[in-house]
Amino acid sequence: PSPSSPSTRVRNRSPPLSPKPPAGAAASKAHRRHPSPLPRPRARAQMRPSPMAARAASGCSSAALAFFRLRPLGRATRLAPAGRSAFGATAACRGRLVDSVLQELRSRRRVRVSARIGLQGTKELSDSKIEKRTIQKGLLLEFHKDSERSLLAVVERPDGKKNWVVTDQNGILSSIKPQQVTYVVPGTMDFDCSRIAEFLEKAQDLLDPTILECAWMELSEKDKSVTVEEFADIVYGSKESLESYCAHFLLSRDIVYFVKVESRGSSIYQPRPSAQVDELLRRKLAKEAADKELEEFVHLLKSAKALPLGSKPPKNSWLMEEKVKQKIESLQAYAVDVCNDEQRRMAGNILKAMGFARTSSAALKLLINVGYFPVHVNLDLFRYDVQTTYTEKVLSVAEELLVDCPDSDKHVRKDLSNLRVYAIDVDEADELDDALSATRLPDGRIKVWIHVADPTCFLQPRSILDREAMHRGTSIFLPTATFPMFPERLAMNAMSLQQGTDCRSVSVSVILHPDGSIAEYSIENSVIKPTYMLTYEGATELLYMNLEEEKDLRILQEAASIRAQWRRSQGSIDTAMIEPRIKVANPDDPEPNINLYVEDQTNPAMQLVSEMMILCGEAVAAFGSDNNIPLPYRGHPQSNTAVSAFAYLPEGPARSVANISVLRAAEMDFRKPVAHGVLGIPGYVQFTSPIRRYVDLLAHYQVVKAFLRGESPPYSAGDLEGMTFIASMHVKVARKLHSNSLRYWLLEYLRRQPKGRKYRALLLKFIKDRMATLLLVDVGIQVTTVVAAGKVGDEASVVVEMVHPRDDILSVTEIAQDTEE
């Protein structure tokens, strides 16, 4: 058996030491110099422990040994049973101090350490029965100041029936409740509060936590519980005020060796089982290691925070070491409010250590201050876990297609490269996936072509690129960046239409009746060579110039006009608005450049493009219906409110807002077309953006990849419904991202404007009484404020009172018209 097993435990008792203490002035002087409760031994040989005591003591700390007047044995061999864990000094201290030493500690009388500050002795304490802990004036006690602090104080006077006024160790008067009192120091009648500091200073010499370890060893062997005073007598050889308080202090703060139990109104401390002590020590050591890590991390944060803006550590430097990475990511998760319990706990500890409030805004501010986040970081990207990059596998497949992608439809593509082709989009468009052509037939009718990029020539249904696109749903367009649905080089180069280059496309041609309805249509694979890449502003300018050589563009405008008239005759609803568009060139700078564009959707070029896209969708829906092809047919029931109900409102945003307010929910069918009451057409399929919208790509698979080749569609109606549902969830997130980011930068734009600047506003609707929604015409943002007069459609002038982009706060006030300059 091992030396410490129960079958081999032997009490090796040393001869009892002389109980007679040294006497005289020299002894008293020695006690004042060394406030240990033990007298100095008469001879060194008398204090030499037995071999077992030496083995037991060899694992204790030098401070603990000093209290027991034992010297550590430099060459003593520690005996530990095989398989036992060594947590700190506990495993090494499993031996026992000999009874003779403990008896010596208990039996020797000592000169009172507290004599210098005039405290009562043990006998007086016993006679006064202070163990009942009756609170009265002049007593020294300990009380809970708050959840984290305990202070010493002297009782001054009663405060009402139950409370007491005390003067604490900081000289502050407080009123405390009885339940706040944690310990009444015995033998402290009429204690002077000015002596608390001296009392605490003396206590520091006795507060060695390693005492707990050695006392626990002895008491656990006997399975004995103790009171505070008994513990003081065991470890200090005295129950007087100072020693009793020190015993209370050590026991009440101990979380490893002893557990507090209540017995008949007094506190009893019971030694914990050995296995429990081992586990608690393990936890304690783990906590100490975690606290050290936290301290080091907080030091890193404070150092980075103190650096000038241009010298902050780069973001990736916080992610190189795993322990630092976990903490910084916990702060990030806390800042965007998507953290788990462990991250919340860790972030809260970090913020507390930094002196910050435990709030998401404080975490965000800290991450910005240390340079981990830029000032204008888009938290939604983290909040919605948006995938802004691609895996190496996806990128590798995309690169392979760029190197070698033969056109399997080359033999059936119709050459339309002789047509004048107009690609019209916003100026910062990266993915160009549609273009237009038109001509007038000999019979006077108009024929238009809507050319759409053909990404299906690069893709196979259910391939890795296809699945990646489905789980993205759409390209994400933000003022600060674009995150394409396909890898960038593939989406913005090979798949997109390029000016002056032969491009693979799908061309939907439509011949219109004079009233604007569809007379004939066809869909075919084609090759086109885009002539112009125009912005909406550039196309509008060309229309106004009315150049003879651009007659095809004027024909497109004419086709758009008769189409709009026909759709209105079918009950279409006008939803054209003023829409803002922002481009931020350097979003990571504290003061980035903001370029604001306000688009009026009644702009001739925008109306032209919009009408041609709607025409294409109607033609594809008719094609699918005629050929019984499952497609994502999109519909919208007619509103219960007649279009004429808002005819009294001026055309434009005010009427559009009223029309939108009564719209019913959209519908989808995957077997047959659904009437689209808002557009005023019998059926509609989104088809013109297959590079940036996955639902459009599904329609291309069904029509272009299959039907035009004479093959069966790759997807059934049920397949389409499931995939559309998955893609639509990501589309909703993308819309939310776009909307939130656009609003943030609009507010940032307004924040930078001169204070007192006047804005022209259009009254859109009343919410309650004179509280109204206004549209700032020059900015394109809606605001809410009280207006003194006017009706829907009227104009007003407002000034911005307050704007906070990060908190989404915008406050404006109407100003009287006659005060304007």
Side-chain angles (χ1 to χ4, degrees):
S2 67
S4 62
S5 64
S7 62
T8 59
R9 290 181 180 173
V10 178
R11 305 287 297 198
N12 190 350
R13 301 179 181 271
S14 297
L17 301 178
S18 173
K20 184 178 180 179
S28 298
K29 186 176 181 181
H31 275 278
R32 287 195 296 272
R33 287 198 309 267
H34 307 284
S36 169
L38 297 181
R40 298 175 65 185
R42 289 175 296 179
R44 188 179 301 275
Q46 288 179 302
M47 292 300 293
R48 181 173 297 278
S50 67
M52 182 168 287
R55 286 197 299 271
S58 67
C60 294
S61 68
S62 59
L65 293 174
F67 275 100
F68 288 97
R69 285 288 185 248
L70 295 174
R71 297 190 306 114
L73 303 180
R75 296 183 180 179
T77 303
R78 297 187 184 186
L79 300 178
R84 289 291 299 272
S85 300
F87 298 112
T90 303
C93 288
R94 285 290 181 263
R96 303 179 300 279
L97 296 176
V98 292
D99 286 347
S100 60
V101 176
L102 291 173
Q103 289 169 3
E104 177 75 11
L105 300 181
R106 298 189 187 104
S107 63
R108 292 187 180 187
R109 299 180 60 191
R110 56 229 346 249
V111 178
R112 293 196 295 271
V113 179
S114 53
R116 293 174 59 189
I117 52 177
L119 302 179
Q120 287 182 284
T122 305
K123 186 174 184 304
E124 295 171 305
L125 169 66
S126 177
D127 292 343
S128 64
K129 298 182 180 180
I130 195 67
E131 64 272 10
K132 293 182 179 180
R133 302 297 185 263
T134 303
I135 301 176
Q136 55 186 294
K137 177 177 169 51
L139 281 179
L140 179 65
L141 54 78
E142 182 188 74
F143 73 97
H144 277 313
K145 180 70 174 177
D146 50 43
S147 61
E148 298 180 352
R149 289 185 300 164
S150 292
L151 301 177
L152 281 180
V154 174
V155 180
E156 298 291 345
R157 61 181 182 276
D159 184 19
K161 292 183 178 181
K162 296 183 178 181
N163 296 354
W164 290 87
V165 175
V166 299
T167 302
D168 67 27
Q169 63 195 56
N170 299 316
I172 299 174
L173 281 173
S174 303
S175 177
I176 66 171
K177 300 176 181 178
Q179 53 265 38
Q180 288 180 258
V181 177
T182 53
Y183 186 67
V184 177
V185 181
T188 56
M189 303 299 292
D190 299 321
F191 193 86
D192 187 345
C193 63
S194 65
R195 296 181 179 177
I196 297 179
E198 182 184 2
F199 184 88
L200 288 172
E201 184 178 355
K202 290 179 178 297
Q204 289 302 316
D205 294 331
L206 301 179
L207 292 175
D208 186 341
T210 55
I211 295 173
L212 290 163
E213 180 183 353
C214 294
W216 169 81
M217 286 193 308
E218 179 65 24
L219 293 170
S220 62
E221 293 250 344
K222 298 180 179 180
D223 193 21
K224 180 180 178 182
S225 300
V226 291
T227 64
V228 170
E229 289 74 18
E230 289 171 342
F231 187 85
D233 189 39
I234 291 173
V235 299
Y236 299 125
S238 172
K239 298 181 181 180
E240 295 182 22
S241 305
L242 185 63
E243 288 82 356
S244 292
Y245 171 70
C246 291
H248 157 75
F249 188 95
L250 291 172
L251 288 169
S252 63
R253 274 74 170 176
D254 174 47
I255 60 172
V256 175
Y257 298 103
F258 293 89
V259 61
K260 182 179 180 180
V261 294
E262 298 292 337
S263 176
R264 296 181 181 178
S266 62
S267 297
I268 305 295
Y269 288 87
Q270 177 181 328
R272 297 179 188 269
S274 177
Q276 191 177 91
V277 168
D278 284 349
E279 174 61 21
L280 290 173
L281 274 175
R282 185 191 65 78
R283 294 182 185 179
K284 182 181 178 182
L285 292 175
K287 183 179 184 303
E288 289 172 354
D291 290 344
K292 184 178 180 182
E293 285 182 13
L294 176 62
E295 183 181 354
E296 293 172 349
F297 181 71
V298 168
H299 177 71
L300 285 176
L301 291 175
K302 290 181 178 179
S303 300
K305 188 171 178 286
L307 291 172
L309 187 62
S311 303
K312 304 285 187 185
K315 182 176 181 178
N316 62 355
S317 68
W318 296 94
L319 306 175
M320 296 174 65
E321 186 179 343
E322 186 61 29
K323 292 178 180 179
V324 174
K325 179 182 177 182
Q326 289 178 357
K327 291 176 178 59
I328 204 77
E329 288 182 343
S330 292
L331 279 175
Q332 174 180 299
Y334 195 82
V336 299
D337 199 24
V338 292
C339 54
N340 56 39
D341 291 342
E342 176 60 23
Q343 289 174 324
R344 183 176 289 104
R345 182 196 62 78
M346 184 177 292
N349 290 339
I350 295 168
L351 292 171
K352 180 183 176 183
M354 289 291 294
F356 293 168
R358 297 181 183 183
T359 61
S360 58
S361 58
L364 173 61
K365 183 178 179 181
L366 176 58
L367 291 171
I368 291 174
N369 287 340
V370 301
Y372 181 77
F373 277 160
V375 174
H376 300 287
V377 60
N378 188 341
L379 295 181
D380 283 344
L381 293 175
F382 305 99
R383 187 172 290 121
Y384 297 118
D385 193 24
V386 177
Q387 299 300 311
T388 59
T389 59
Y390 289 88
T391 65
E392 289 297 327
K393 185 174 182 180
V394 170
L395 292 174
S396 175
V397 172
E399 289 299 318
E400 290 174 5
L401 290 175
L402 288 170
V403 173
D404 182 24
C405 184
D407 184 8
S408 57
D409 295 313
K410 183 176 181 179
H411 63 288
V412 295
R413 290 194 185 277
K414 186 173 183 179
D415 185 3
L416 298 178
S417 58
N418 61 316
L419 293 176
R420 186 178 289 264
V421 178
Y422 300 89
I424 306 173
D425 211 327
V426 294
D427 58 353
E428 68 269 15
D430 297 312
E431 305 160 337
L432 296 174
D433 46 16
D434 56 70
L436 305 171
S437 299
T439 188
R440 193 179 299 278
L441 300 177
D443 60 4
R445 293 185 300 175
I446 295 174
K447 181 177 183 178
V448 298
W449 287 266
I450 301 96
H451 310 288
V452 183
D454 182 15
T456 62
C457 66
F458 294 89
L459 304 171
Q460 291 293 330
R462 301 181 179 89
S463 65
I464 183 173
L465 284 176
D466 173 66
R467 290 303 179 188
E468 182 73 17
M470 180 181 69
H471 286 99
R472 291 174 181 260
T474 181
S475 296
I476 300 175
F477 301 98
L478 304 179
T480 54
T482 297
F483 304 112
M485 189 172 71
F486 293 104
E488 185 173 321
R489 273 169 43 83
L490 189 62
M492 299 179 184
N493 294 301
M495 288 182 173
S496 290
L497 303 179
Q498 307 289 328
Q499 183 176 6
T501 303
D502 287 341
C503 301
R504 307 172 190 177
S505 63
V506 180
S507 294
V508 179
S509 62
V510 180
I511 298 175
L512 297 175
H513 285 301
D515 66 353
S517 60
I518 296 177
E520 301 175 24
Y521 66 85
S522 67
I523 302 176
E524 51 199 348
N525 288 292
S526 62
V527 175
I528 63 170
K529 183 180 290 187
T531 312
Y532 294 108
M533 296 292 183
L534 300 172
T535 64
Y536 289 116
E537 293 79 8
T540 298
E541 185 177 351
L542 276 180
L543 288 171
Y544 286 147
M545 292 173 67
N546 198 23
L547 300 175
E548 178 61 29
E549 56 268 29
E550 303 302 335
K551 63 179 181 179
D552 291 354
L553 186 60
R554 295 202 310 275
I555 294 173
L556 279 170
Q557 184 182 28
E558 181 183 347
S561 177
I562 62 174
R563 277 290 298 173
Q565 293 176 12
W566 179 80
R567 289 194 305 106
R568 279 195 293 271
S569 70
Q570 303 300 308
S572 69
I573 298 175
D574 183 14
T575 59
M577 288 290 294
I578 292 177
E579 295 289 345
R581 184 163 47 87
I582 279 183
K583 194 69 176 177
V584 182
N586 47 344
D588 288 345
D589 290 354
E591 293 289 327
N593 296 322
I594 302 175
N595 298 307
L596 173 65
Y597 309 91
V598 180
E599 297 175 343
D600 186 348
Q601 291 182 340
T602 60
N603 170 285
M606 293 193 76
Q607 283 194 320
L608 185 158
V609 173
S610 177
E611 287 296 339
M612 293 301 102
M613 299 304 105
I614 294 171
L615 176 61
C616 180
E618 182 184 352
V620 172
F623 185 87
S625 177
D626 291 346
N627 295 283
N628 198 28
I629 304 173
L631 290 172
Y633 298 100
R634 189 177 298 271
H636 215 293
Q638 287 278 5
S639 170
N640 293 329
T641 303
V643 177
S644 58
F646 303 113
Y648 69 94
L649 296 174
E651 288 189 8
R655 184 185 293 182
S656 295
V657 167
N659 286 334
I660 292 171
S661 67
V662 297
L663 291 181
R664 297 167 64 184
E667 297 178 352
M668 289 202 72
D669 197 298
F670 300 91
R671 293 174 175 81
K672 61 182 185 304
V674 181
H676 204 301
V678 175
L679 299 180
I681 55 179
Y684 181 68
V685 173
Q686 287 184 326
F687 194 78
T688 58
S689 298
I691 303 175
R692 62 180 78 175
R693 287 194 306 237
Y694 188 73
V695 174
D696 295 46
L697 182 65
L698 286 177
H700 276 247
Y701 281 142
Q702 299 291 89
V703 173
V704 181
K705 201 75 176 175
F707 189 85
L708 295 184
R709 293 180 178 179
E711 301 172 359
S712 299
Y715 298 119
S716 66
D719 294 334
L720 291 177
E721 184 173 5
M723 289 185 291
T724 299
F725 177 78
I726 293 172
S728 296
M729 290 192 299
H730 297 284
V731 170
K732 289 178 181 178
V733 171
R735 287 175 180 167
K736 186 72 172 177
L737 275 169
H738 173 78
S739 175
N740 290 351
S741 183
L742 179 63
R743 181 170 175 83
Y744 174 88
W745 287 105
L746 287 173
L747 295 182
E748 178 64 15
Y749 172 84
L750 290 171
R751 186 187 68 82
R752 299 187 189 184
Q753 301 309 302
K755 189 172 180 61
R757 174 184 167 180
K758 298 171 185 175
Y759 296 90
R760 186 165 62 96
L762 184 67
L763 205 163
L764 297 180
K765 63 180 179 180
F766 284 103
I767 301 173
K768 184 179 181 181
D769 298 330
R770 301 305 299 178
M771 181 66 70
T773 298
L774 306 177
L775 173 68
L776 303 190
V777 178
D778 297 330
V779 182
I781 192 171
Q782 294 186 22
V783 297
T784 301
T785 191
V786 175
V787 295
K791 61 183 183 299
V792 173
D794 288 350
E795 287 194 0
S797 293
V798 298
V799 293
V800 174
E801 295 289 345
M802 180 172 57
V803 56
H804 294 295
R806 185 63 69 187
D807 299 322
D808 193 21
I809 295 174
L810 174 61
S811 174
V812 303
T813 302
E814 183 188 23
I815 57 176
Q817 295 286 344
D818 57 0
T819 64
E820 296 186 36
E821 296 178 0

